[in-house]
Amino acid sequence: MLLLTRLVGHTVCGPDGRAVGLVADLTVSLGEHSGRTVVDRLLVRRRGAPDLLVPWSAVGSFARDVFRLSADPAGFAIASLTGALDRDELLLKRDVLDTQIVDIRDQRLARVADVVLARTPDGHLQLVGVEVGFGAVLRRLGLTRWAMRGRDDAVAWSDLHLTSERGHSVQLETPRSAVHLLDARALAVLVSRLDTESATELLTARGPAMAADIVRVSHPVVGERVLRALPDATAAQIVAAMPAEHARHWRRRLSSAPAWRGRRFLRSRVWPRRRHRPRTEAGA
């Protein structure tokens, strides 16, 4: 097994063996239809020169902490990372590492301490899952002896939902993602763990019929919170998709003042989702 935190920072060399830059991140494409999620490209950071976004097919070898390219790196220079990424492409360090996830199988919130990958027989790096245990945090801090005492805790990639801004939106748009394979009750649990903005996006993405089922089986407070956060027309479509008795109940409830009016509504088990800015704006 390989860990993302141990790959980031490795040297990248050109075909002539001279150093080109350092690995800043790895990308994966969630729309891949091969049945597995593999590293698609390397983000290489260079001093005083544009970044490179190198396809894995141009990586000739990877050994002893060095990625050696098989093609001229100049052809992979990018002017803007945002513009260079595909619609279904994620950066593992930026969009996954140290972010909050929802473990769908165990119905819990967790924070990603590391990303686990594995070599495949055909020379790719496959995304396996994420480590969420405190032992992984201790290992990253160099406290190896203490880390060995901790319990290993990992979540398979197929069993998680990302809550970072891009991770969440890409998973909603990708039919292969777990969020599109869950029934209403499982989605209700997920909605209860997400921040309000992400929860409304999930309901909108699944359509009025499924959204109506999700609200019906959710805790009433959660259902009301999400419905009130939606545009009136969207909320009305969801309510209209419910059985008549439930629809009448929700129309009455939404027509009255919310129970928490005048009070700050906090949800202690939800962390704000990570947002990112283009590198030029962030001043990195």
Side-chain angles (χ1 to χ4, degrees), residues 223-242:
E224 182 175 359
R225 170 177 61 87
V226 179
L227 285 176
R228 288 188 183 277
L230 286 164
D232 291 343
T234 304
Q237 289 178 336
I238 293 173
V239 172
M242 297 178 182

Side-chain angles (χ1 to χ4, degrees), residues 65-218:
D65 301 341
V66 175
F67 289 88
R68 186 181 294 273
L69 305 183
S70 59
D72 183 1
F76 307 121
I78 58 173
S80 165
L81 179 59
T82 302
L85 292 176
D86 294 333
R87 286 177 58 88
D88 65 348
E89 196 169 12
L90 294 179
L91 288 161
L92 293 181
K93 181 175 181 290
R94 187 193 71 180
D95 300 322
V96 181
L97 186 66
D98 294 325
T99 68
Q100 177 194 20
I101 62 162
V102 179
D103 178 353
I104 295 171
R105 181 180 294 274
D106 292 337
Q107 300 184 1
R108 58 173 176 163
L109 289 171
R111 197 172 187 88
V112 177
D114 219 326
V115 180
V116 183
L117 304 110
R119 293 179 184 266
T120 65
D122 58 356
H124 287 273
L125 285 182
Q126 182 174 354
L127 179 56
V128 177
V130 299
E131 288 189 334
V132 297
F134 190 57
V137 177
L138 294 175
R139 186 182 61 247
R140 286 176 61 184
L141 294 174
L143 304 175
T144 307
R145 290 180 59 187
W146 289 96
M148 293 176 63
R149 301 180 184 180
R151 181 175 63 90
D152 291 336
D153 195 357
V155 181
W157 183 253
S158 59
D159 293 336
L160 62 83
H161 183 76
L162 301 169
T163 63
S164 62
E165 182 179 23
R166 182 168 176 86
H168 170 74
S169 62
V170 170
Q171 284 191 310
L172 285 184
E173 294 177 3
T174 306
R176 289 182 58 244
S177 298
V179 68
H180 294 284
L181 306 177
L182 301 176
D183 61 17
R185 290 193 177 277
L187 286 171
V189 173
L190 178 56
V191 165
S192 71
R193 300 292 193 269
L194 294 174
D195 63 272
T196 302
E197 182 180 358
S198 298
T200 58
E201 290 169 350
L202 190 154
L203 261 61
T204 302
R206 293 309 308 267
M210 176 59 81
D213 289 341
I214 294 170
V215 172
R216 286 174 54 208
V217 299
S218 295

